[in-house]
Amino acid sequence: MTSHAEFGERTPGSEVAKVFGDHIRGKTILVTGVSPKGIGASTALALASQQPAMLILASRTPSKVDEVGRQILAEHPTTRLEIVPLDLGSQQSVRAAATSIAQLTPHLDLLINNAGVVVTSRHATPEGIEQQFGTNHIGPFLLTNLLLPLLRAAARAPSAVPGATRVVSLSSAGHRLSPIRFSDYNFAPREVPPEEDHFRPLAGAFAKCTPDGYNGIVTYAQSKTANILFTLSLQRGLAGEGITAYSLHPGSIETELSRNQDEELNAQFSKVALYWKTVDEGCSTTLVAATDPALNDINGLYLVDCQFKDPAPHASDPVSAERLWKLSEELVGQKFDFTATA
Ligand SMILES: NC(=O)c1ccc[n+]([C@@H]2O[C@H](COP(=O)([O-])OP(=O)(O)OC[C@H]3O[C@@H](n4cnc5c(N)ncnc54)[C@H](OP(=O)(O)O)[C@@H]3O)[C@@H](O)[C@H]2O)c1
C-alpha cells in the first residue's frame, strides 16, 4: 500500500513532491533522460521545488538538458544542480558518467532511471546489442550497478532511514506485449519457444515489421519487461541493506518518445490510451515510487497511477529475473554479485 490512496491518474507530480517534501529535502538525487518536453524534466522540476542537497541530471543531448537546467535555476535559484553527459546506448559513456558522478558525490540517495527510447527500425549499440534492449535495459543495468557503492554509502549513513535509499526505473504498460526473448534478445528474428513469443498475437500497426524483419513494439516491450525484472533482482539482492527498488508505468503522456513512430502507429496508441496526462501528471507515479515513506518496506514491485498494480507474470518471475541478470552481466562483460561487492 502507498500512503495516499487518493493519489491517482490526474495527481500532479508537483503536488506529490510537496506532500513528500520532507523526503526530498537534503537528498542527493540523480535523474536520467532530461529533455524539455519529457517526464524527466517534470520530475526534475518537481524535485527541485523541495530543496534537494544536489540534483544531478544525466542526459544525452547537452542543449536539451541545459535548457531544463536553466528552467530549474530560474524557478528554484538555490538548487545545487549538476549536469553529466550520458549516452545509455554506449557502455563506454555509461562508465564515464558513473566515474563523473562519483567525483561529484560520495553518496546517492535516489537514482531515477527515467531515460528511454523508442525506435521503429533496426539499430544496434556499439556493442552490437539491439538499440532498445541496449539503451532501455543494459545501459541502466550497468549504470545502477556502477553506482551501487554510492547508494550503499547513502543507506549506511547514520541519519539514513532504512528503505528510503531507492532505485526507481520507468517501465511501461507496454511490457505486457513481450517477455524477454532469451533465445533471440536481438530480435534477429529467430524462432523462439512459445513462452518467449508474444509477437504472433499482435495486430495492426503493432505487428508490422520492417523489410529486415524488425518489430520495434516487441523490442520496446521486451526492454520494458527487463526494467521490471531488473527491479525484482534489486529488491531481492539488496534486501537488508536499506535500499529499495521500484518500477512503474508513468501513464500515456505526449512527449518526444513517439518521435520515431509513423502516423499509423500513433493512431493505434491513441486507441489504447484512455487519458493523456500532462507532463506534471506524468511524473507523479515516479515521485510516489521515489519518495513515499510507506514504500520503505517493500510491498510491491510496479506502480501505475501512483498505486501498486501487478505486472504481467512474465515480468515478475524470479527465474526470468535471474536469467536476465546473468545475460546482462555477459553483455556488459562484468559480474555484479551483491554479496561480493557489498
Ligand atoms: N510518454 C509516455 O507515454 C510513456 C509511457 C510509458 C513509459 N514511458 C517511459 O517514460 C520514460 C521517459 O520517457 P518520455 O515519455 O519522457 O520520453 P522522451 O520525451 O523521449 O524523453 C526520453 C529521455 O530519454 C533520453 N534518452 C533517449 N535515449 C537516450 C540515451 N541513449 N542515453 C541517455 N538518454 C537517452 C532522451 O534524450 P534526448 O531527448 O536527448 O534524446 C530524453 O531525455 C521512458 O523510460 C519511457 O519508456 C513513457
Side-chain angles (χ1 to χ4, degrees):
M1 284 270 289
T2 64
S3 64
H4 285 256
E6 76 281 11
F7 284 173
E9 184 179 62
R10 297 180 195 218
T11 305
S14 46
E15 186 185 319
V16 176
K18 261 186 224 146
V19 170
F20 296 131
D22 285 349
H23 309 285
I24 297 171
R25 269 182 281 289
K27 297 269 173 86
T28 298
I29 305 174
L30 170 60
V31 183
T32 68
V34 180
S35 297
K37 296 176 187 157
I39 303 166
S42 56
T43 305
L45 271 160
L47 290 165
S49 73
Q50 302 302 315
Q51 290 119 34
M54 188 191 296
L55 185 56
I56 307 169
L57 311 181
S59 208
R60 177 168 63 164
T61 309
S63 58
K64 292 185 180 181
V65 67
D66 287 349
E67 187 181 329
V68 178
R70 282 194 296 275
Q71 190 185 348
I72 289 172
L73 291 176
E75 292 182 26
H76 310 290
T78 57
T79 310
R80 163 123 195 242
L81 190 72
E82 299 287 347
I83 291 177
V84 173
L86 168 70
D87 180 352
L88 286 161
S90 153
Q91 293 179 22
Q92 199 185 352
S93 168
V94 172
R95 289 181 186 280
T99 302
S100 303
I101 294 159
Q103 283 162 357
L104 288 173
T105 175
H107 55 82
L108 185 63
D109 296 289
L110 290 177
L111 167 56
I112 301 182
N113 286 316
N114 167 80
V117 73
V118 166
V119 294
T120 51
S121 56
R122 189 183 297 281
H123 300 278
T125 69
E127 298 82 18
I129 304 165
E130 185 281 320
Q131 191 183 354
Q132 297 189 97
F133 193 59
T135 304
N136 296 347
H137 168 61
I138 294 297
F141 170 86
L142 181 58
L143 183 70
T144 304
N145 276 299
L146 294 174
L147 294 178
L148 259 185
L150 277 67
L151 290 155
R152 286 194 166 109
R156 285 176 183 157
S159 58
V161 174
T165 306
R166 303 237 177 113
V167 179
V168 171
S169 298
L170 274 79
S171 174
S172 165
H175 80 271
R176 296 185 189 279
L177 297 180
S178 183
I180 306 296
R181 296 168 61 94
F182 285 105
S183 331
D184 186 30
Y185 59 85
N186 271 345
F187 205 83
R190 279 196 207 105
E191 277 297 314
V192 296
E195 68 275 13
E196 292 180 19
D197 188 12
H198 285 202
F199 178 44
R200 278 164 228 286
L202 290 184
F206 286 180
K208 264 190 160 177
C209 291
T210 54
D212 64 353
Y214 183 77
N215 181 293
I217 294 294
V218 173
T219 43
Y220 178 71
Q222 167 179 253
S223 73
K224 293 286 131 180
T225 289
N227 298 149
I228 307 175
L229 290 171
F230 175 48
T231 300
L232 180 60
S233 290
L234 291 176
Q235 285 191 345
R236 291 161 68 91
L238 296 171
E241 288 198 55
I243 304 172
T244 46
Y246 293 100
S247 61
L248 64 109
H249 168 59
S252 297
I253 306 105
E254 280 189 50
T255 63
E256 294 203 313
L257 196 64
S258 57
R259 67 187 101 169
N260 296 312
Q261 293 173 190
D262 62 17
E263 275 178 28
E264 197 187 347
L265 202 49
N266 285 338
Q268 191 155 343
F269 273 112
S270 292
K271 279 188 203 150
V272 289
L274 300 176
Y275 171 67
W276 289 94
K277 297 184 180 186
T278 64
V279 281
D280 193 12
E281 290 166 347
C283 71
S284 55
T285 309
T286 299
L287 290 162
V288 169
T291 62
D292 185 344
L295 276 59
N296 288 346
D297 290 323
I298 289 170
N299 55 42
L301 174 62
Y302 170 77
L303 295 94
V304 180
D305 294 337
C306 302
Q307 306 300 332
F308 283 114
K309 187 167 181 173
D310 287 337
H314 65 243
S316 50
D317 168 35
V319 176
S320 298
E322 213 165 302
R323 235 180 131 185
L324 177 67
W325 191 276
K326 292 211 167 78
L327 171 63
S328 309
E329 286 180 327
E330 273 169 37
L331 293 175
V332 300
Q334 189 172 353
K335 283 206 170 299
F336 294 104
D337 177 348
F338 287 112
T339 45
T341 55

